[in-house]
Amino acid sequence: MDKDLAQQKIENAQSREELTAIYNELFGKNGSLTVTLKELKNLSIEERKERGAELNIIKRELQDVYDVKWNTLSEVDTHKPPIDVTLPGERTVTGDLHLTTKAIDDIRRIFQKIGFYDYTYHEVEWEYFSFDTLNMGPTHPARDDFETFFVQGPVSSKYGRMVMSPHTSSGQAREMLRRQGPPIRMISIAKCYRPNWDASHTPMFHQFEGLCVDKNITINHLKGTIAHFAREYYGSDVKTRLRPYHFQFTEPSFEVDISCSVCNGTGMVDNRKCKVCKSGWLELGGAGMVHPHVLRSGNIDPEVYSGWAFGIGIERILMMRGSIEDMRPLYEGNVSLYYHNS
Ligand code: DAH
């Protein structure tokens, strides 16, 4: 066991791997120093003491040299082949806008192009604007607290209680008053609130409301506008239809349907009823010609002006486009959903 030679070997090591091998050669089970120490037992007591002390000093010194060397060598083994920079890297996850935000941007752009401005109304609203101006009297079932969130707060003798606005229609009379009369071509996109929770309902959701008031406005303008939106948003093949319905604030009233893209409007897939629509059509939202009561609430003379309105749920159109099957995860903050859909 030559101390100087061992020290030199340690100091010349090029990598931690090599250093470990040298360490084992010296201090391992059959290492040269270990063996020399074991052989001490063959010596006389006197010699053993002297030689033992000497060897222990050498051992400690070599270990110190080893420790210093270990720290100077980097963890990366210099003898390993260099990293192959031509290998494909790991894909990093990038952020994206929320699906609802993207839908809102699309809607806004489509309507801006045909001359509609957008204006957002309040999330906390008076009963008066959410119901009374819309011809929904004091006993209308939507005013039940199973249907609408009432806010604890001041009660106005003129406007009633405060509610979390249950639909964007609350902005209809407000817009007529704000503009102080026609022409009105508004698209209003906002959060709405209702106490529901299932695959197609969350307590907070979004709607967009179209409102157009001017002289000689007819159902044709409503049909044309909705058909334009559906083609721009879903694709040029999509057909629209108005189906007679009832709303308090429009007369006549319609439900707006679009042809189902899964079965191409036939209602059948492989000789079976289409699972998505069952009939070839999917309901997009509500619409109609603005009721004279609503126009009067907005200070507009129904004898001179007419108008149309529609209201459509944004999460609903995302579901109809096949972007999501269940609305609830949209507002649960589970980020992986967006990577699958964007
Ligand atoms: N406010 C209705 C709802 O939330 C939707 C609606 C129907 C809006 C007909 C309208 C309309 O403007 O004309 O269910």
Side-chain angles (χ1 to χ4, degrees), residues 98-100 199-200 314-331 337-338 341:
H98 193 280
L99 286 178
T100 308
S200 51
I314 293 183
E315 291 78 4
R316 189 172 171 74
I317 63 172
L318 283 174
M319 291 180 96
M320 288 164 69
R321 202 161 69 166
S323 303
I324 48 167
E325 283 177 3
D326 186 330
M327 260 173 79
R328 290 168 291 191
L330 278 180
Y331 305 117
L337 175 83
Y338 311 120
N341 286 294

Side-chain angles (χ1 to χ4, degrees), residues 229-286:
F229 167 74
R231 281 195 300 264
E232 289 288 307
Y233 191 74
Y234 288 102
S236 53
D237 300 341
V238 161
K239 294 187 192 61
T240 28
R241 72 173 183 191
L242 299 183
R243 182 163 40 80
Y245 200 71
H246 171 78
F247 293 106
Q248 289 291 116
F249 39 94
T250 40
E251 182 56 39
S253 301
F254 310 99
E255 281 206 320
V256 182
D257 293 337
I258 63 164
S259 55
C260 172
S261 56
V262 174
C263 63
N264 274 328
T266 60
M268 302 294 280
V269 177
D270 299 335
N271 281 335
R272 293 208 177 157
K273 262 196 179 175
C274 173
K275 275 190 198 151
V276 177
C277 65
K278 299 187 180 82
S279 65
W281 296 93
L282 285 165
E283 181 210 322
L284 189 66

Side-chain angles (χ1 to χ4, degrees), residues 11 208 335:
E11 278 168 353
F208 62 107
V335 183

